[in-house]
Amino acid sequence: MTFYARHPRYSIFLIVCLFITLLMFFNSSPGGPDGGAGRAYPFQRRPPTKALHTEEVIDMTESSYREALRERQRMIRKWGPTPRDVDAFPSHGEFYTLWDFFIPAFQCPHRVQRIGTLGDGGKWMCGLDRVVKKPKCVIYSFGVNGESSFESSILERGPGCEVWGYDFSVNSFGPEITSVPNLDSRAHFYPYALGPSDAPTSDPPMFTLQTLMKRNGHSFIDILKVDIEGAEFESLNSFIRHFTSATPDNGQVVLPIGQLQLEIHARDATYAQFNNFLKWWEELERAGLRPFWTEPNLVYVNLIRGVAPDLVEYSFMNIRGHHELVADDL
């Protein structure tokens, strides 16, 4: 006796279920009556998501960054209540350090990668793939210290890139560049100091960043690396104020750089004070610089135990102007 003859009702139920399943599949498939507008099953091809332009991503991320700024003010009121009352590196049970007020809340709209050696010397970069495709890209490196893995890695990736290095404590770039003729030919080294004013006859000779750009015939720096043991505060102040003074009233300052890799040394008597550091940092922000990455210098903390963690690497991108990191039409 057949299964249908033994269980007619159960057989009819199975047939109905099969029919309903086929009907649902037909109605939800791309060729069905609703043109595929029914329920999306795992094996269906979903419509492609519209890609956002870089400008749109930056606008969205800037909105999030504004919220981080409001959170900074709330934290100042909690531990201050004014900036003058905040201890940068407290030692009485407070659960914060200076760096917790200045988190890298901005999101680079491109690939972020660490360039150079692991440990002290490497830097986190935004959109390097875009920069090295340029026919010509300009790198400035202040603070060479005989180790050039960061600079050499960029030169290797970008055949059109050249680097200008400045450090009065050494005589040349490190062997990562000097031992490779193809890289050494695109590297220019000078034993100068970066400072807030020009003093060409001092020992060592000192120049502002804007002066060095003029001497080299550059109107834009794609990658600016600064590691100058505390001189970064006044040097960057001078650079920003130079372009602020050239900006029309009520206009936005547009710095001629794409991104900044900066080691901050918050051990200076002036800038180790929270109020002064805050004013300096906010000047960077007003000029359009946004931090997208940070990395504490743990090598320093490990070698000199018992000190405050006052050396930290920050990576900033410039959200203003018209360059590879903020525009897609270049």
Side-chain angles (χ1 to χ4, degrees):
M1 183 178 292
T2 64
F3 180 83
Y4 175 77
R6 290 181 179 179
H7 308 282
R9 293 182 179 179
Y10 187 70
S11 298
I12 293 173
F13 174 75
L14 291 176
I15 293 172
V16 171
C17 288
L18 179 60
F19 176 78
I20 292 174
T21 300
L22 292 173
L23 183 63
M24 292 176 62
F25 173 77
F26 177 79
N27 286 336
S28 63
S29 65
D34 62 355
R39 181 181 176 183
Y41 286 83
F43 45 79
Q44 279 185 260
R45 179 174 295 176
R46 297 178 182 273
T49 303
K50 180 183 177 182
L52 294 175
H53 293 293
T54 296
E55 294 89 339
E56 296 174 303
V57 177
I58 289 176
D59 287 343
M60 293 169 58
T61 305
E62 179 70 359
S63 178
S64 299
Y65 191 76
R66 294 294 173 185
E67 177 55 36
L69 297 185
R70 289 188 286 272
E71 181 61 30
R72 180 194 298 165
Q73 294 304 316
R74 288 191 286 268
M75 193 170 176
I76 290 174
R77 289 193 295 271
K78 175 181 178 180
W79 295 108
T82 72
R84 292 184 179 277
D85 302 316
V86 177
D87 189 352
F89 298 102
S91 57
H92 299 90
E94 300 90 337
F95 292 96
Y96 73 87
T97 69
L98 171 69
W99 313 115
D100 293 304
F101 292 85
F102 306 99
I103 60 174
F106 195 83
Q107 179 180 337
C108 162
H110 313 292
R111 180 187 178 192
V112 175
Q113 58 189 132
R114 198 176 193 277
I115 302 299
T117 185
L118 296 177
D120 193 24
K123 310 291 180 183
W124 288 94
M125 299 197 62
C126 170
L128 179 61
D129 294 340
R130 288 190 165 208
V131 176
V132 296
K133 289 179 181 177
K134 297 179 64 173
K136 292 184 179 180
C137 80
V138 174
I139 309 156
Y140 274 43
S141 178
F142 293 94
V144 174
N145 197 29
E147 203 285 323
S148 301
S149 62
F150 170 72
E151 295 84 356
S152 66
S153 296
I154 300 174
L155 294 178
E156 288 171 353
R157 288 169 169 81
C161 294
E162 295 188 47
V163 59
W164 279 258
Y166 300 91
D167 191 330
F168 59 87
S169 68
V170 294
N171 298 319
S172 68
F173 283 107
E176 298 86 355
I177 287 180
T178 58
S179 63
V180 184
N182 178 48
L183 305 185
D184 194 42
S185 65
R186 292 184 279 130
H188 317 277
F189 179 86
Y190 300 92
Y192 300 161
L194 180 66
S197 59
D198 295 324
T201 60
S202 65
D203 185 18
M206 183 173 67
F207 298 95
T208 65
L209 179 52
Q210 57 270 24
T211 294
L212 291 174
M213 290 182 67
K214 185 176 181 180
R215 285 168 62 107
N216 296 329
H218 295 143
S219 59
F220 188 81
I221 300 173
D222 294 283
I223 301 165
L224 172 61
K225 189 207 86 174
V226 177
D227 182 358
I228 51 177
E229 306 303 317
E232 65 271 9
F233 297 105
E234 295 303 325
S235 297
L236 289 175
N237 275 346
S238 170
F239 182 62
I240 292 173
R241 290 169 185 171
H242 171 78
F243 289 96
T244 301
S245 63
T247 301
D249 292 342
N250 300 321
Q252 285 190 332
V253 178
V254 180
L255 299 180
I257 62 174
Q259 62 184 296
L260 166 66
Q261 279 69 40
L262 173 67
E263 182 166 68
I264 301 177
H265 305 74
R267 57 195 179 195
D268 176 272
T270 298
Y271 293 100
Q273 298 179 36
F274 182 86
N275 187 51
N276 293 330
F277 187 94
L278 174 65
K279 292 178 180 178
W280 174 78
W281 182 279
E282 289 178 337
E283 192 164 7
L284 302 184
E285 291 175 325
R286 283 191 295 271
L289 296 177
R290 297 291 181 269
F292 65 86
W293 203 277
T294 187
E295 178 180 280
N297 190 327
L298 298 180
V299 172
Y300 163 75
V301 173
N302 182 60
L303 291 176
I304 309 177
R305 299 174 187 272
V307 300
D310 50 17
L311 268 63
V312 171
E313 301 271 2
Y314 273 93
S315 295
F316 298 81
M317 70 166 285
N318 181 8
I319 65 170
R320 297 180 187 157
H322 193 66
H323 54 90
E324 282 70 20
L325 300 186
V326 299
D328 293 323
D329 57 350
L330 295 176

